[in-house]
Amino acid sequence: LRGRGFAGRLAGIEPDPALADHAAAHYDRIHRIDIEVQGAPLPPGSVDVLVYGDVLEHLRDPWGVLKRDAGLLAPGGTLLVCVPNLEHWSFAARLLAGRWRYEEMGLFDRTHLRWFTRDGMRDAILAAGLRPVEIVPRIFDRDRAVDFAAKLQPGLQALGVDPDEWLRRSLPLQYVWRAVKPEA
């Protein structure tokens, strides 16, 4: 953000001391807290943009944190959220092959406690009192996904699932959401 000319105040939250020390060089203030235990020490309505970049899936109660922290946003303020997509084709591929394993990083990160579908994340944003305005799917390995969906097509059809609709939902590895706090 600084490299793009953003002159506003940047505050970050990081409970891990080493990561907080590293992040401190890039922010005006780092709050070393566990956001599930205590809210950010910021006045309600004082934040223009709130970013959860690959955070909510690591929380025990992401819905409660999102609803509480939405109160930090100023009217017209923006929420940006990036979450993994539970409907990603690779989940189905691993489950069908009997090879579900947590990994150190990525979609199957062992620290993921929650999973979201597109509809589930939309519901969480709405429940927080925010209005979704944009969703950007992050798609990788499109060719592998299309091949996998083509192989599943007879089974999907037998289950009454539209193969094209399933492919659309299963292509994104992640979704990036932009939502706003209503003005009134």
Side-chain angles (χ1 to χ4, degrees), residues 117-151:
T117 62
R118 179 183 166 136
D119 288 349
M121 191 67 239
R122 185 192 67 240
D123 292 347
I125 289 170
L126 290 169
L130 303 173
R131 183 174 52 86
V133 293
E134 183 179 18
I135 180 170
V136 177
R138 298 191 69 220
I139 297 171
F140 306 91
D141 290 332
R142 179 183 293 274
D143 292 342
R144 287 180 62 201
V146 169
D147 181 57
F148 182 75
K151 290 174 182 170

Side-chain angles (χ1 to χ4, degrees), residues 150-162:
K151 290 174 182 170
L152 280 185
Q153 186 169 351
L156 292 169
Q157 289 173 326
L159 293 169
V161 176
D162 178 279

Side-chain angles (χ1 to χ4, degrees), residues 15-59:
D16 182 275
L19 293 175
D21 289 345
H22 177 73
H26 306 284
Y27 292 85
D28 298 307
R29 175 85 194 261
I30 294 291
H31 301 282
R32 291 165 169 84
I33 61 172
D34 178 342
I35 62 170
E36 289 200 274
V37 174
Q38 86 182 77
L42 301 168
S46 67
V47 175
D48 293 321
V49 179
L50 183 60
V51 179
Y52 289 108
D54 301 311
V55 170
L56 295 178
E57 65 271 18
H58 300 276
L59 303 179

Side-chain angles (χ1 to χ4, degrees), residues 18-110:
L19 293 175
D21 289 345
H22 177 73
H26 306 284
Y27 292 85
D28 298 307
R29 175 85 194 261
I30 294 291
H31 301 282
R32 291 165 169 84
I33 61 172
D34 178 342
I35 62 170
E36 289 200 274
V37 174
Q38 86 182 77
L42 301 168
S46 67
V47 175
D48 293 321
V49 179
L50 183 60
V51 179
Y52 289 108
D54 301 311
V55 170
L56 295 178
E57 65 271 18
H58 300 276
L59 303 179
R60 292 177 304 278
D61 182 13
W63 307 276
V65 170
L66 186 60
K67 188 170 188 171
R68 179 200 67 209
D69 288 356
L72 296 173
L73 286 171
T78 298
L79 169 75
L80 296 174
V81 175
C82 181
V83 291
N85 176 23
L86 177 60
E87 293 185 280
H88 191 255
W89 67 272
S90 65
F91 272 94
R94 285 179 183 223
L95 289 170
L96 288 170
R99 290 193 311 252
W100 173 269
R101 297 285 186 278
Y102 283 103
E103 298 172 351
E104 291 302 315
M105 295 176 57
L107 188 61
F108 302 98
D109 180 336
R110 70 180 68 253

